[in-house]
Amino acid sequence: MAAWAYRCGGNLEVPAQGPQALPVSPPGLGNLLDDLPLMVYRCRNDPQWSMAYVSAGCLELTGYSAAQLLGGGGLTYSSLIHPGDRRHVWSSVQRGLQEVRAFSFGYRLLCADGSERVVEERGCGIYADNGEVLGLEGVVMAR
C-alpha cells in the first residue's frame, strides 16, 4: 500500500519506529484489503481493463465476485462501466498515463442486480524503467 501511495504521489508516512513495527505479509495484506468496502485492483491498460487482481470488496461494490472479474465467463470490467461513461473513463486514464501522474475521476457502474452505482476511481500507471506502461493499479469506491 505504501508503494502504491508513493507511485501515485501520495504522502503515506511510516511511523517513527520504522517499517518493522507493522510487519505485513502478503496474506495479511490481502485480508486487510478484503475487509474494506472498496475494490483495489491491478489491471492491463487495454479497452477491457483486463484484471490481474481485484480485492474481495468488488462483491459489495459491484455484485460480482473477484473470480468473475478476473476473466470468468467473459465478464470484463469495461462492461460494468456505464456506456455513457466509457469514453470519459478511457480518456481520463490515458491522459494520466501520458502525463505520468495519478488519475482520479467519477463514473457510473452497472451492478449485478441491475442498479447503477456512482463510484470514484483513483489510480496510477505501473511503468517499466524505459517508461512503457505495464499496467494500472488503484482503488474504486462508492461515492
Side-chain angles (χ1 to χ4, degrees), residues 42-89:
R42 179 173 280 180
C43 71
R44 291 190 180 137
N45 182 38
D46 62 24
Q48 295 78 32
W49 306 115
S50 302
M51 294 292 173
Y53 171 80
V54 292
S55 64
C58 66
L59 183 61
E60 184 178 338
L61 189 69
T62 69
Y64 294 101
S65 70
Q68 289 174 296
L69 291 175
L70 289 171
L75 181 68
T76 65
Y77 190 73
S78 177
S79 69
L80 303 186
I81 299 170
H82 189 283
D85 295 342
R86 288 181 189 151
R87 184 171 300 187
H88 164 68
V89 170

Side-chain angles (χ1 to χ4, degrees), residues 71-118:
L75 181 68
T76 65
Y77 190 73
S78 177
S79 69
L80 303 186
I81 299 170
H82 189 283
D85 295 342
R86 288 181 189 151
R87 184 171 300 187
H88 164 68
V89 170
W90 179 261
S91 63
S92 296
V93 171
Q94 299 315 302
R95 190 170 36 258
L97 294 174
Q98 289 169 354
E99 297 172 5
V100 191
R101 63 168 176 76
F103 49 83
S104 178
F105 52 88
Y107 58 95
R108 296 166 289 173
L109 277 182
L110 305 174
C111 299
D113 65 5
S115 66
E116 287 183 12
R117 174 169 270 176
V118 177

